[in-house]
Amino acid sequence: MLSKFTKHLIITAKLKALHLLLIFFSSAALEVEVGGGRKVSDFSTVRMLYTIGIRGIFWRFELHRGGQKLLIPILLSRDLNPVLATGAFVVPTSIYFILKKFVFKPYYLKREKQKALENMERTATQVQEARKAAAKAQQLLENVANRKRNKQQETGGLVITKAIYGNHKALKKRDELRETNDELASQVLDVTLPLNFLVNDSGQLKLHDGVKKSGIMGFCDPCPGEPKQLHVEYTYHGESYEVAVDDYEELIIPQIAHRV
Ligand SMILES: *[C@@H]1O[C@H](CO)[C@@H](O)[C@H](O)[C@H]1NC(C)=O
């Protein structure tokens, strides 16, 4: 057990919010404790700790639920047999990492995906309306946007060749988007036209920082609650450029740094 005088230094590293690593060093008891924990529900956490010190080698299982705590200490050995000491650490650690890779992680990924799907279903009508409004706005901008684009094209200025806005995960899988992936495609919006509309006479485009992009005319929010990005491909003086910015990030193009 972790006695009163055992708490001299606690290093807590938070790994992916769910996995805690605790290391206790005690000068008085000469004990090192290493362990990991995992939240199994909103109220309960399980932890396993490995302790090695002058009192021997222990495993300790802990179940925290609400305010209650169940401790199961297992004494493995009174003396510090190096083989046992190593094995008692390595075996459960390996099992943990194997479980994490093949059981916990797939489970959490699945649950996250499920949540995203539920969110999509919940906001489907809202998104549908917003898309309609955006399409209407794009229609209004179309003539001017095309005129500007043609003018830029003639002078070798700034032409937005492809711009998409939406779920950053969906944008990352852009290649799949070109094929038919409805679930991903429904979370992005083509904004090539409104961006060409925003290119000014000197062949530049600026979107201010701190302003979310779904509010720009011809845009809408295709995935409420999800982190979004704007991905832009453009040409300038006949060269190709590419850039991605977060929803609230500033965008100034053209820029040499974006050249591909
Ligand atoms: C075009 O936009 C850039 C960047 O915001 C600005 O520096 C420039 O003065 C603008 N040019 C015109 C003609 O509005």
Side-chain angles (χ1 to χ4, degrees):
M1 224 97 333
L2 199 68
S3 39
K4 285 148 247 148
F5 52 83
T6 315
K7 243 193 207 163
H8 279 109
L9 177 63
I10 301 175
I11 301 167
T12 309
K14 217 170 178 191
L15 297 176
K16 286 194 172 173
L18 292 164
H19 177 217
L20 284 171
L21 237 179
L22 302 166
I23 303 176
F24 301 93
F25 290 103
S26 152
S27 55
L30 286 174
E31 222 161 52
V32 177
E33 188 161 77
V34 188
R38 187 161 269 278
K39 223 175 150 151
V40 287
S41 76
D42 285 344
F43 304 104
S44 38
T45 308
V46 286
R47 279 171 63 187
M48 186 189 160
L49 296 132
Y50 168 75
T51 308
I52 179 163
I54 49 170
R55 292 181 302 151
I57 305 165
F58 295 85
W59 277 343
R60 191 170 78 238
F61 296 93
E62 296 183 3
L63 174 66
H64 298 253
R65 201 188 154 82
Q68 286 164 321
K69 194 165 154 185
L70 176 70
L71 301 182
I72 308 168
I74 298 173
L75 174 66
L76 296 171
S77 168
R78 279 262 176 237
D79 40 58
L80 301 175
N81 176 332
V83 174
L84 188 70
T86 312
F89 176 69
V90 170
V91 172
T93 308
S94 312
I95 291 174
Y96 171 75
F97 282 106
I98 290 168
L99 281 179
K100 184 173 163 177
K101 186 162 172 45
F102 296 104
V103 181
F104 302 144
K105 210 165 170 208
Y107 171 75
Y108 281 109
L109 285 179
K110 203 174 146 195
R111 207 168 70 166
E112 233 169 56
K113 201 169 170 197
Q114 183 65 31
K115 270 192 199 155
L117 272 177
E118 280 167 17
N119 184 28
M120 261 172 78
E121 273 164 29
R122 207 174 39 242
T123 58
T125 346
Q126 179 193 339
V127 170
Q128 214 178 356
E129 294 297 314
R131 275 183 180 278
K132 262 189 219 156
K136 249 186 210 152
Q138 290 204 12
Q139 241 171 22
L140 290 176
L141 301 178
E142 196 174 350
N143 285 336
V144 179
N146 286 340
R147 205 172 63 223
K148 281 186 166 187
R149 184 184 172 139
N150 290 338
K151 195 180 149 209
Q152 291 294 325
Q153 213 140 27
E154 280 162 23
T155 58
L158 174 63
V159 176
I160 313 295
T161 48
K162 173 108 190 152
I164 43 178
Y165 172 68
N167 190 330
H168 80 296
K169 277 187 211 146
L171 290 182
K172 261 191 213 150
K173 300 181 189 161
R174 267 193 329 282
D175 298 331
E176 288 171 43
L177 268 175
R178 290 190 178 126
E179 291 149 33
T180 51
N181 189 328
D182 291 344
E183 193 191 308
L184 291 178
S186 72
Q187 298 197 60
V188 300
L189 178 74
D190 190 306
V191 290
T192 313
L193 194 143
L195 283 192
N196 273 309
F197 176 82
L198 290 173
V199 173
N200 74 10
D201 289 340
S202 35
Q204 281 177 303
L205 167 64
K206 180 172 180 174
L207 301 180
H208 295 275
D209 71 333
V211 185
K212 71 170 180 231
K213 299 180 176 42
S214 55
I216 299 170
M217 192 170 177
F219 279 55
C220 74
D221 187 344
C223 51
E226 301 287 335
K228 283 168 279 284
Q229 268 194 346
L230 170 65
H231 185 272
V232 185
E233 290 168 29
Y234 61 95
T235 58
Y236 186 70
H237 293 330
E239 309 235 34
S240 298
Y241 297 74
E242 198 174 331
V243 61
V245 286
D246 289 334
D247 207 5
Y248 287 87
E249 207 180 319
E250 181 181 63
L251 174 74
I252 300 176
I253 53 176
Q255 274 186 53
I256 291 292
H258 303 156
R259 200 138 99 205
V260 287

